[in-house]
Structures are given as C-alpha cells and as structure tokens.
Amino acid sequence: MSDGVLFDKVAFIGIGLIGSSLARALRQEGLAGRLATYDHSAEARAKALELGVVDEAPADLGEAVRDADLVMVCVPIGACADLGPALAPHLKPGAIVSDVGSVKQAVIRDLGPVIPDGVFFVPGHPIAGTEHSGPEAGFAELFQGRWCIITPPTGTNEEAVEKVAEMWRRVGSMVEIMDPHHHDKVLAITSHLPHLIAYTIVGTATGLEESLQQEVIKFSASGFRDFTRIAASDPVMWRDIFLNNREAVLEMLQRFSEDLTALQRAIRWGEGDTLQDLFTRTRAVRRGIVDARQA
Ligand code: NAP
C-alpha cells in the first residue's frame, strides 16, 4: 500500500488514553484527513479539542460518525452493548468499524449483530497501554514496537482487515491475526491474571493494621511498588474485563491457585530445590521478554 492518507474521516467513540493516543498517531503519520470524536464526557470532548487531538467533537454521536470511513470504538467494553444500536443507524455504507477492547468475544457478541450490511466490522486490540486514563494521558508513540491483535470473525471482508492492519503498522505496531476465543485465553494469562494478582496484593496491604500499612508505603521499593502501578489501572475498564472474560480468567485462576498451593507446600517442607528450579525458569522468561524487546 502506498504512503498517505488511509481514511478521509476517522471518528473515535471514546477519546481516553487509547482513543486519543491513536488519534495523535494518525495525525502525526498523516493517515487521516479529518478526526472527530464523540465521548459521553463533555470534559473529555473539550479536552480533546483543546489539545488538538481531534478536529471536531460534537455532543451528538450521529454527527461525529457521519461520513466517517473508519469508526474506532475506544470505550470500556461494558459500554458496547448499549452503544451498538445507537451507533448503527449512522454508519455509512462501506465504512469500517473497529475497536480496541481488551476482550474480543464479548465485543463481537455485543457489536457484531448490530453492524449493518455493507459496513465492515474488524475488531482489534493493541497490546499497549499505561495505568493512566483520559485524553491528557495519550501520546502518539504508545503503539510503537507493540503488538496489535486483530480478531476478525469468520467471513470478514479481507480488504477491510488489511486496511485496519495497515493503519496499525503505520503507527508503529506489529500485527497478528488471531481467533477471538484464543485471544481471550492468551490475554487471560498475560494481562488479566497479573492485574487480578496486583489488585489482590495491594488490597491485602490496605487491610493490614495501620502501623504495618505505613511500613508498606515506606519500604515499597522492595517489590510492592511494582504491583501498585498495575493496581492503579482504571477501575471501570478492569471491572468490565473481568466480567466479560469470566471463563478464561477463572480457568487461569484455577491453575494459578494450584501452583500457589504447590509453592506453599515447598516452603512449608523446606524444599529449596523446588523453589530454586521455578525461580530459574521464571528468570529465563524475563530474559525472553527483554530479548523480544517487549520489556
Ligand atoms: P479511558 O481513558 O477511560 O477512556 C474511555 C473514554 O470513553 C472516557 O472518556 C469515557 O468517559 C468514555 N466513554 C465511556 N463510555 C462511553 C460511551 N458509552 N459513549 C461514549 N464515550 C464513553 O479508557 P482507555 O484506557 O482508553 O480504554 C478504552 C478501551 O481500550 C477499553 O475497552 C480497554 O479495554 C481498551 N484498552 C485499554 C488499554 C489500557 O492500558 N488502558 C490497553 C489496550 C486496550 P467516562 O470516563 O466519563 O466514562
């Protein structure tokens, strides 16, 4: 595909961390003629305009989406069920609807059936983010060197898939096409379980008696601090992820609980070799991530 504009008009539904980062990246790379947003937060719309992230931010969903060649849904996944029917009548024939939601089967379940004939639905998930939210938190480089997983349902128009893939490549991402069910399983272990563990550890610390809590903050650099960064992630977004990827998360949690019990036994019975073997294997995993430049 040649360089230049990929879409004459892109409309973002939700202009928080991910939406505003992609809008900035599209602008920086000259991939869109015009950028619009509809966000139900008037504050977010005003901020996005003030920051120059988009060209227009009407208070009306239909107006924002009108004539858009690409509509990027960038809201928490729990919002998709209500959004779909409101969005559908405003989509122009030939438009592409894509998204960035962290769970794919639920988004496909909620948005897929309401997308009109002649409009192409290409779900996606950039594996990039921070613990911050809102349009101020976004930055154009967020997706550089990161993977974006595209999960087209069977029979999705291949040209539309390629166009969305090309957009992600041109903002610096590597693209992988994946089955939505497989995506949700992979993300349950790589993202959702780690967040659940971080939320749990930090939650446990907040339940300690006052004197211990103060020591936790003071000496947090010994490990706790790294969990607090993850546990500072957006509460609404993460509530929706756990409610919408229930089966896969519960399966990984079951496995994790079994492994934790095994470690508990090893500590109780003084089985140093068991502990050392595991810690040696996990250290190798870290090296693999560093070598893959995903650290
Ligand atoms: P965010 O910063 O909180 O932005 C979401 C924006 O959408 C907010 O301004 C929110 O307004 C607005 N919104 C919520 N419901 C809406 C609706 N029904 N109609 C219009 N606007 C609505 O969230 P984000 O981090 O960009 O996440 C957006 C999506 O990206 C989520 O689906 C998430 O799973 C996915 N994702 C996130 C990350 C990450 O690290 N953050 C990474 C990859 C993918 P209010 O806040 O006022 O409700």
Side-chain angles (χ1 to χ4, degrees), residues 13-19 38-41 44 74-77 79 83 100-102 125-126 128-130 133-134 234 237 241:
I13 315 299
I15 197 75
L17 170 73
I18 302 295
Y38 168 76
D39 192 299
H40 70 180
S41 154
C74 301
V75 298
I77 47 184
L83 178 69
V100 294
S102 307
H125 177 205
T130 73
S133 307
D234 192 79
M237 168 182 154
I241 287 173

Side-chain angles (χ1 to χ4, degrees), residues 42-121:
E43 204 183 323
R45 293 197 306 270
K47 197 70 190 171
L49 269 182
E50 182 194 320
L51 293 169
V53 168
V54 291
D55 304 302
E56 46 192 280
D60 178 63
L61 173 66
E63 206 180 312
V65 167
R66 187 177 306 133
D67 293 329
D69 307 285
L70 172 66
V71 176
M72 284 301 303
V73 176
C74 301
V75 298
I77 47 184
C80 289
D82 288 340
L83 178 69
L87 176 65
H90 305 289
L91 298 166
K92 81 166 183 188
I96 296 174
V97 175
S98 189
D99 84 304
V100 294
S102 307
V103 179
K104 296 316 326 163
Q105 290 178 106
V107 171
I108 292 169
R109 174 199 68 205
D110 291 344
L111 282 184
V114 300
I115 302 293
D117 287 346
V119 174
F120 308 112
F121 179 40

Side-chain angles (χ1 to χ4, degrees), residues 5-10 26-27 30-36 55 69:
V5 172
L6 277 178
F7 301 100
D8 285 336
K9 177 177 173 184
V10 180
L26 293 183
R27 201 190 284 293
L31 302 180
R34 229 163 10 117
L35 297 166
D55 304 302
D69 307 285

Side-chain angles (χ1 to χ4, degrees), residues 263-279:
L263 273 190
Q264 212 175 343
R265 275 183 68 87
I267 294 169
R268 187 184 310 285
W269 298 108
E271 294 167 357
D273 289 351
T274 306
L275 298 176
Q276 194 176 336
D277 283 354
L278 174 67
F279 302 162

Side-chain angles (χ1 to χ4, degrees), residues 164-274:
V164 172
E166 181 64 10
M167 173 190 76
W168 285 109
R169 284 194 286 266
R170 300 256 290 265
V171 298
S173 293
M174 295 91 72
V175 171
E176 180 127 337
I177 308 286
M178 202 182 273
D179 165 71
H181 176 261
H182 189 64
H183 166 279
D184 289 356
K185 214 165 170 173
V186 171
L187 268 291
I189 186 70
T190 57
S191 171
H192 307 168
L193 190 60
H195 275 79
L196 196 66
I197 293 167
Y199 281 125
T200 310
I201 292 180
V202 178
T204 302
T206 63
L208 296 173
E209 54 272 31
E210 182 67 21
S211 60
L212 265 176
Q213 271 188 37
Q214 297 194 354
E215 311 284 75
V216 167
I217 303 290
K218 188 168 165 188
F219 300 118
S220 60
S222 53
F224 184 72
R225 181 182 64 184
D226 295 342
F227 286 102
T228 62
R229 186 187 61 73
I230 298 180
S233 301
D234 192 79
V236 172
M237 168 182 154
W238 281 95
R239 176 202 65 193
D240 286 359
I241 287 173
F242 291 120
L243 295 180
N244 284 281
N245 199 20
R246 202 171 59 159
E247 305 306 326
V249 170
L250 289 177
E251 186 193 327
M252 294 306 167
L253 194 55
Q254 177 63 32
R255 292 188 192 201
F256 174 78
S257 307
E258 288 166 15
D259 292 343
L260 193 61
T261 304
L263 273 190
Q264 212 175 343
R265 275 183 68 87
I267 294 169
R268 187 184 310 285
W269 298 108
E271 294 167 357
D273 289 351
T274 306

